[in-house]
Amino acid sequence: MCGLAGFVRFGEPAEQTKALLASMGEAMLHRGPDAGGLWWDDQMALVHRRLSILDLSTAGSQPMHSPCGRYVMVFNGEIYNFQTLRDELIAAGEAFVSHTDSEVLLRLYMLHGPACLQQLNGMFAIAIWDTQQQKLFLARDRLGKKPLYLYQDGNDFAFGSELKALMPLPFFKRELNPQALQDFFFYQYVPDPKSIFKYARKLKPGHYLEWQQGQISEHCYWDLSFASTSAASEEELSHQLRELLDDAVKIRMISDVPLGAFLSGGVDSSAVVASMAKQSSQPVTTCAIGFDSKKFDEVQYAKQIAQQFGTDHHEFTVRANVTDSFLSISRYFDEPFADPSFVPTYFVAELARKQVTVALAGDGGDENFAGYSKYALDQTEQQLRQKLPAWLRQAAKPLAALAAKLPGTPARKAHTLLRTLSLNPGQGFFLTNAFFNPLLWPQLIKPELARELAGYDSATVTTDAYQAADTEDHLGRVLYTDFKTYLPGDILVKVDRMTMANSLEARAPLLDYRLVEFAATVPSRLKLHGRDKKYLLKQSQQGILSHDILYRKKMGFSVPLAEWLCRELKPIGDALLLAKAPGLAQFFVLPKVQQLWQQHQAGDHRYTQELWTFLVFEAWWQHYMEPAQSAPVSAEQRLGGSAA
């Protein structure tokens, strides 16, 4: 696992190029503390940071050059099937000087160009510079496990694993994208391909890009299809799933450094650990995180799995660490990110790094097999939507408005349900899963931001993905939507940043693209079976995992957020929200935000998610935006507009 970055040179002297590359590499040192390299020619400059996983010798150093000297590559990720590909290349007459997947990847590109992506099973961000054609090739893995940011403004072009690696560039403008700003508050993350900055974006998962003399062409090389539904029996599908998972685990256990697993005691991570234990001659190293609050603590279930499979188990309890670490942890996200589970994810990664350099995780089980509670809720809403006549669904609107004015969680849920019934399925799915009350939003934003956002609706992120799915099956559309939005924008960002913050590599067998493609063919009734979520995955683990592990209520990586805002995080919240709050003050009516904070402290927890998102945004702003300002800037100027 590594970090990469680069830029098209803009006529600066060689010494400035070297200094810029060094600063860019330093900004992502945590991604690759083992080694670093710089390279440039008259047009392109590249930098790489290496976390050594395979072939620990210097033969795997990057930037890596092709034997002919024509191609120069920087690469972040792992190609899990590289040994098979390497053997095929050797049989075809190719020779290698290292045992790295990087060298295999570069050789494949030399032979096949962008078509080589179809042969890769892995997680990756790739940059290859063709010195002969003066062409840059950038690519991102199918599901977006590894990040790749792009910056383009006129002739200025740069790319990197993290935005902070691009910020040292003199042409990098920290102007906010107003639509991305709104998206963040509704989703808790900035959805692909946007970034929080106007001139920066993300290369979409499953895409590659070619840059040549200022001209850019972008191509999709993979998409997930739900068009075909398997006719195989439940027993056959269960057997296929076990085989796919075992192979996905097997190829992810290849490592020249210590390897272990995250273990929550849930079905996904437990299934991964069970497969690892079956295929390992040594006890598997497992790591789990707990909380003081019993409502959120899963340690006992993780311990149960650890005992069953004889793992070398390690635990850590999150207590006052939140107060001490919130600000420093959140800074690893270059753009605002408010999924609160990033806190325990950081701590479990920190714990794991003390034992191993690579950790397998259970990510992907929920998206593949409908494991989140929101899917069951959405299914209920969709069934009601189909049964109720249109006039009755429209009549629910005034009742929804009434419920919105009442306090308490039941009233808020009633408001959401009544309102979603009047919407189409895609809009309903957005509203069910929005983290910001849409009725509260226009009351809090300033007129300047409202003008910038005129005509824009963050729901389109969800509805566009929902409509793009190649199936008429509602659950299939919903799962496709999460594969295009929530998975790459939230889950994979969280895991990448928090593991890389600890120089730890995370691998997700349940996101092996072969398993993902297989799951897309599984009938929806075998994913969400009545109210039973992840039905087929659970069936595949019968006789391997105990009944109480398979069928206990899902907790996930939830955190006691309302309690944190009243206790552990109250001092930070008071300092960030009750003072000048320069970031929020530019875009929001600050006294109203402060009023919500005071209401929360008095026991009204209706707006816990909104307040948490405000807190995260202000912390991000003060770290990433305030130091860059040398003079007061209006909200419209900061958003890239002009003052009226």
Side-chain angles (χ1 to χ4, degrees), residues 164-239:
K164 65 170 65 71
L166 305 182
M167 292 177 183
L169 292 168
F171 54 74
F172 189 95
K173 298 176 183 176
R174 303 192 191 199
E175 294 180 12
L176 266 59
N177 178 341
Q179 294 182 4
L181 176 67
Q182 177 174 291
D183 289 348
F184 162 70
F185 280 92
F186 279 94
Y187 291 98
Q188 295 193 321
Y189 62 91
V190 178
D192 292 7
K194 297 170 190 165
S195 89
I196 193 64
F197 296 115
K198 180 178 179 180
Y199 298 104
R201 63 184 176 93
K202 300 148 190 163
L203 182 62
K204 290 188 285 189
H207 282 65
Y208 72 88
L209 176 151
E210 292 179 311
W211 179 98
Q212 190 173 33
Q213 299 301 320
Q215 299 301 309
I216 291 177
S217 60
E218 193 168 337
H219 310 270
C220 176
Y221 70 88
W222 182 87
D223 197 3
L224 181 58
S225 174
F226 284 81
S228 300
T229 301
S230 175
S233 69
E234 180 181 315
E235 184 178 2
E236 290 172 325
L237 290 171
S238 181
H239 177 71

Side-chain angles (χ1 to χ4, degrees), residues 12 31 37 47 71 102 127 177 237 264 350 364 382 460 488 620 629:
E12 77 287 356
R31 298 189 73 91
V47 58
Y71 300 98
S102 307
N177 178 341
L237 290 171
S264 70
E350 182 181 53
Q382 176 66 359
T460 58
W620 172 84
Q629 297 189 65

